Amino acid sequence: MKETELPLMNCSFTGTDPSSLMAETAQLRKIITKRGTLEILIPLCFHKALKGISSKTLASRLKELEKGGILERRAYSEIPPRVEYRLTVKGQELVESVMYLFQWMKKWSK
């Protein structure tokens, strides 16, 4: 595939390698665009109940997000068993970043 050069923009990312940045962008896209990810993270941030996500998708995403260091799982020795998930600092920063993207989208979609 032939690369197309884009006109230079006035962006200042001193010390950032564009190839590395694109690879990291792909990783980020894998995390936040999977069905259920934002539906889990945003309600957790606001301490709200989750809605509109199947139990299978929920279980899968929770495991992935915990493995990625975005969520922290806490199991309690109770009957019936109880488990809580909380955002880690990494997860909180991710949600804050997504919220900034939402604000940008609202600003420019008018």
Side-chain angles (χ1 to χ4, degrees), residues 79-108:
I79 297 176
R82 181 169 66 104
V83 175
E84 287 182 355
Y85 288 88
R86 294 181 181 186
L87 291 167
T88 62
V89 172
K90 181 179 178 180
Q92 290 172 356
E93 288 181 9
L94 175 60
V95 171
E96 288 172 10
S97 299
V98 168
M99 296 307 289
Y100 285 124
L101 281 172
F102 285 151
Q103 289 173 350
W104 174 85
M105 181 182 71
K106 286 172 75 175
K107 176 182 177 179
W108 293 102

Side-chain angles (χ1 to χ4, degrees), residues 1-99:
M1 178 190 252
K2 184 180 175 185
E3 288 187 21
T4 305
E5 286 205 28
L6 297 174
L8 285 176
M9 304 297 286
N10 191 15
C11 296
S12 178
F13 298 106
T14 307
T16 302
D17 172 44
S19 298
S20 174
L21 186 59
M22 291 308 295
E24 291 171 18
T25 300
Q27 280 184 305
L28 175 63
R29 193 170 41 252
K30 284 180 187 177
I31 294 171
I32 65 171
T33 61
K34 282 191 175 178
R35 168 115 174 86
T37 299
L38 294 177
E39 290 87 343
I40 293 169
L41 295 179
I42 292 172
L44 272 174
C45 189
F46 294 99
H47 305 286
K48 300 287 182 185
L50 302 176
K51 295 180 182 178
I53 185 169
S54 74
S55 56
K56 182 179 177 181
T57 300
L58 177 61
S60 174
R61 267 338 136 254
L62 288 172
K63 286 179 186 174
E64 289 175 0
L65 294 168
E66 182 184 10
K67 184 178 177 182
I70 294 168
L71 292 181
E72 178 182 275
R73 182 181 190 268
R74 186 172 190 185
Y76 295 89
S77 308
E78 299 177 356
I79 297 176
R82 181 169 66 104
V83 175
E84 287 182 355
Y85 288 88
R86 294 181 181 186
L87 291 167
T88 62
V89 172
K90 181 179 178 180
Q92 290 172 356
E93 288 181 9
L94 175 60
V95 171
E96 288 172 10
S97 299
V98 168
M99 296 307 289

